[in-house]
Every structure is written in structure tokens, then in C-alpha cells.
Amino acid sequence: MFDNILYHNDMSLFQEFDTVVSNADFLSDDWLPEHCNPENWEKPSTHDISGVELVGDPHMKLWSETKGWKNPGRKNFRSSTVIHLSDKIETEGIIPSRVVYYDVETDETNNGAHRRGASVIRNIPGWMHQGVRFENELAKIRFANASNHVEGLFNSEPTKDDIKEGVRAALKQIGEYNKKTIRDEVRIQGPGLTDRQKDDIVNSLYSDCMFDENMKFSSRYRELNNDNVNELLKLIRNEYSEEEPWVVKYWDNDDEITICINAANFESRVGAIIAVAAKANMVDKSLHIIFTVPIPVGKETLNSKREKFFSMHLESLEDRILNIQGKALTDKNRRDFPWNHPDCQHRTVAQDTENESTIPLIKVKNRNFN
């Protein structure tokens, strides 16, 4: 019975894949006749990825007929996962779940690397496959992570790092970026991630792209938040400390006092500003600020927004505190605030992609104080 030729609903598959095999070619101690029945497996899907076409129906295919594709969305291939999967097959048997997808143009498997490895250990000749045709490399990258998100025994869910690398590879194919582009890619490739994990990837890649000369920002101004700035400072510390010493000299220096402020959320940071200012005053230290501003609209400019950070936001906070203290709103009294100390080294981050370089950070003047 097991020597019967495998049946396909579409007989053109024999021509499409240029192969005729029998069930007997696949049977082993672990791979049983029922595993050769496509009806027992999850129905293949394009996972709504544009540029992906399913070719024919699911069918058995020998591992020797394909080769593994270097998936940019797998940051680290884990041998321990392969061994664990092999052990699970030995103890629980094969539970049909998601098929292995392969590129019909190149005979490269788009997923299933761990199953391939476990099959070597368990002497399993092949697996249930589904042919796929990709319009371009971007579709192939997107599909790899999207098709790997599945609850099941024979699958290793893409990790946060896997998704990050897959999105990075997709962005290189696209050639330009903004936050929406990155967020959309994370949504496509990482449906199993938490919202926080997705945000972490967006902020990290957004900062990485700022240093990539091959990546073009899709609009003039960059919108930055505190997470973006923190990622940016981390990159400067690790890779550009010579070009920009401010991070090591001030931000990372325990003898200096610093704070990062997003002007768009200034009021929500008032408590933190007062707390760190009190700390600075207690030890007679200056308070160094690194800040970002909202994208300018209308007749506003980036420089006017940056000036208003001091002349409007900080000055308004100074007014409130001085009024509570019953003091006059004079420059003399304002000099008592540690962000107005003459030794302050305030910085902002490049947000104009046409006129500003990412490195170095931009030194800004705080009214007549520093």
C-alpha cells in the first residue's frame, strides 16, 4: 500500500516540480503513512503578504531536493532547539502542523530549518512541503517570519531579535524609512510579539537607520522620543565615542547630572526635572539637558522650536517655582536653577535630515545663561 504514487489534486504538479516519488520514500520509524496525507496538515497560506503566490498543493518532498535559505530573520540558529525537537519527536511522535514552504524558483526552503536538522538526527527523509513563488526578495523576507509564527510542536517561534533582523533586512530592500515604515514591517513580521517588544524594535531600528548612509529617510524631519534618544546615545557610546565625546563625558559620567527631555511631553516630565534639579543643587552641580522637539509645522522652524524649549517651556517652569517662592522673575533669580549654570553643556539631536548630520550632537544656547 505504501508504494502507491502520492496523489495530487493538480496533476500538473509533477511537471511543475519535476519529481515523482512514492510514500515508501518517506516512511521511517517516526514518519508514518498518515503523515503523507496533505489533509492532515494545516492549510497553507500566504499570510496576506503581498508578492507571495502558493504554487500547487501541499506535497511530500525529500530534504535532499531542497537546500536551506539563509533567513535574515533568524538572528541565531540554535542547535539546542534542534536537539529538543528531535527528543520531542522520539517521545511524542510527529504531530502534523505547519508545512515547510519552499521557493519553487530556487528550491530553497523558506522555513523549517530546525525540522531539517531534527530530521537528520532522526533519519526522516523528508517533510510535507508547499511550493511558493516570490515576486521579490522583500516578499520572501516578510513571508519567512510571518509564516514562522505558529503555535505547535514543530516550530521555533521567531524571537524579538529574529524579528528585528528580519525587519532590518526588509528595510534595506525598501531603501528608505520612517517610523511608520518600520512599525508596519514589525506588524507584518512579528504578529506574536507584545506591544512593548514591537515598540522596542521600532525605536532601536529607527536609531540604527539614522547612522546607515544607505538608508534614506522618507521625509525631511525626524520625529524622536526618549527611547529613540536613549538608543542613539547607546550607539554613540559603542561606536562613535571619538566623534562625539559628550555621551561619555557627561551622560555616562556619574560625576555629572543629566536628563533627557522630549519637549512634546514637557509637562509630564516636570516632576522628574524638579527632582533631578534638586539633586544638582544639593551638590552645587550643573544640570545638562539633552532634548528633542516636535516636528515644525507652518512657519515654525526647528531652530525656533529649540529656542522655545528654553524661552517657553523651561522659563514657564521657572516662573511657577519662583512664584511659589515669592521671588521676582529676574535673570538673577533664574540663575539659581541648575540648568542655567554657566558650566551647562546642553545638547539636542539632529532632526533635519537635509541640513544636519547625526554626529555630532548639536550644542544649543540657553538664552543668556549658557
Side-chain angles (χ1 to χ4, degrees):
M1 173 175 70
F2 302 145
D3 291 329
N4 293 335
I5 298 298
L6 288 176
Y7 174 79
H8 296 280
N9 293 329
D10 184 357
M11 293 302 291
S12 66
L13 276 175
F14 293 128
Q15 287 76 38
E16 180 74 47
F17 301 109
D18 192 28
T19 180
V20 178
V21 293
S22 71
N23 287 348
D25 293 317
F26 298 97
L27 299 183
S28 69
D29 291 341
D30 302 302
W31 197 272
L32 305 179
E34 56 264 31
H35 298 135
C36 296
N37 184 355
E39 298 298 323
N40 292 332
W41 293 78
E42 177 187 289
K43 184 178 179 180
S45 169
T46 64
H47 300 280
D48 297 322
I49 303 299
S50 177
V52 176
E53 174 195 357
L54 299 181
V55 180
D57 298 317
H59 55 284
M60 292 300 300
K61 196 170 182 68
L62 297 170
W63 289 118
S64 60
E65 296 179 276
T66 64
K67 55 183 179 291
W69 173 60
K70 177 63 175 176
N71 180 2
R74 284 293 193 193
K75 183 172 176 59
N76 295 304
F77 183 82
R78 301 167 184 85
S79 299
S80 59
T81 303
V82 173
I83 295 171
H84 174 69
L85 176 55
S86 173
D87 292 342
K88 295 285 278 187
I89 293 175
E90 182 178 14
T91 57
E92 300 182 20
I94 292 173
I95 302 174
S97 53
R98 182 153 297 181
V99 299
V100 172
Y101 292 97
Y102 73 101
D103 187 335
V104 298
E105 304 293 343
T106 64
D107 280 328
E108 294 174 327
T109 49
N110 192 252
N111 62 349
H114 293 101
R115 282 170 283 182
R116 182 189 291 270
S119 293
V120 172
I121 297 174
R122 300 294 308 159
N123 293 315
I124 300 171
W127 210 271
M128 185 64 68
H129 282 64
Q130 170 65 51
V132 186
R133 183 174 286 113
F134 300 103
E135 182 178 313
N136 48 44
E137 190 72 7
L138 177 59
K140 193 169 185 175
I141 292 169
R142 287 172 169 172
F143 184 76
N145 270 332
S147 66
N148 262 324
H149 175 66
V150 57
E151 301 291 336
L153 174 62
F154 302 113
N155 186 73
S156 178
E157 293 286 326
T159 66
K160 175 182 169 183
D161 286 341
D162 291 336
I163 300 301
K164 180 179 177 180
E165 294 310 307
V167 172
R168 188 195 304 277
L171 291 174
K172 287 182 179 179
Q173 293 293 319
I174 296 170
E176 64 177 24
Y177 74 101
N178 58 29
K179 274 195 176 178
K180 183 179 184 304
T181 304
I182 300 174
R183 197 173 298 281
D184 287 346
E185 278 301 320
V186 174
R187 175 185 54 79
I188 291 170
Q189 296 193 40
L193 300 182
T194 66
D195 289 342
R196 180 60 196 174
Q197 288 176 318
K198 292 176 183 178
D199 287 342
D200 286 347
I201 293 174
V202 171
N203 290 323
S204 179
L205 286 179
Y206 191 66
S207 299
D208 288 351
C209 287
M210 291 172 64
F211 289 95
D212 190 339
E213 60 183 18
N214 295 317
M215 292 300 298
K216 179 182 177 182
F217 195 67
S218 57
S219 56
R220 177 176 176 180
Y221 295 110
R222 294 190 184 101
E223 181 182 0
L224 300 173
N225 57 29
N226 282 16
D227 288 334
N228 299 141
V229 175
N230 284 327
E231 287 292 333
L232 177 64
L233 296 179
K234 188 189 303 180
L235 277 171
I236 292 174
R237 175 194 307 121
N238 294 336
E239 300 180 29
Y240 301 93
S241 59
E242 290 186 6
E243 295 91 329
E244 178 47 82
W246 187 91
V247 175
V248 173
K249 189 173 181 180
Y250 294 99
W251 185 258
D252 291 339
N253 189 344
D254 291 338
D255 291 330
E256 300 290 347
I257 299 177
T258 59
I259 188 172
C260 177
I261 303 172
N262 179 1
N265 302 317
F266 185 87
E267 289 302 314
S268 68
R269 296 284 284 163
V270 164
I273 295 169
I274 292 174
V276 74
K279 177 183 176 182
N281 269 350
M282 287 177 62
V283 293
D284 194 26
K285 290 274 190 177
S286 52
L287 173 56
H288 313 288
I289 300 173
I290 183 167
F291 67 96
T292 64
V293 296
I295 293 174
V297 294
K299 295 183 178 180
E300 288 183 313
T301 66
L302 205 56
N303 284 335
S304 68
K305 302 283 282 187
R306 289 165 175 168
E307 290 171 2
K308 285 181 179 179
F309 175 79
F310 296 104
S311 64
M312 185 175 73
H313 294 297
L314 276 179
E315 189 164 301
S316 171
L317 177 57
E318 293 166 1
D319 290 350
R320 282 174 273 178
I321 295 173
L322 290 172
N323 284 332
I324 292 172
Q325 295 174 338
K327 294 181 178 180
L329 306 181
T330 64
D331 282 358
K332 180 179 183 298
N333 288 330
R334 293 184 194 279
R335 293 186 191 280
D336 291 335
F337 294 104
W339 53 78
N340 293 332
H341 192 287
D343 293 337
C344 282
Q345 291 290 326
H346 303 307
R347 295 291 187 273
T348 191
V349 179
Q351 292 181 252
D352 185 342
T353 62
E354 295 180 4
N355 299 304
E356 296 176 342
S357 299
T358 305
I359 298 295
L361 297 172
I362 300 168
K363 184 175 182 178
V364 286
K365 181 176 175 60
N366 171 16
R367 296 163 289 182
N368 295 318
F369 299 111
N370 46 52

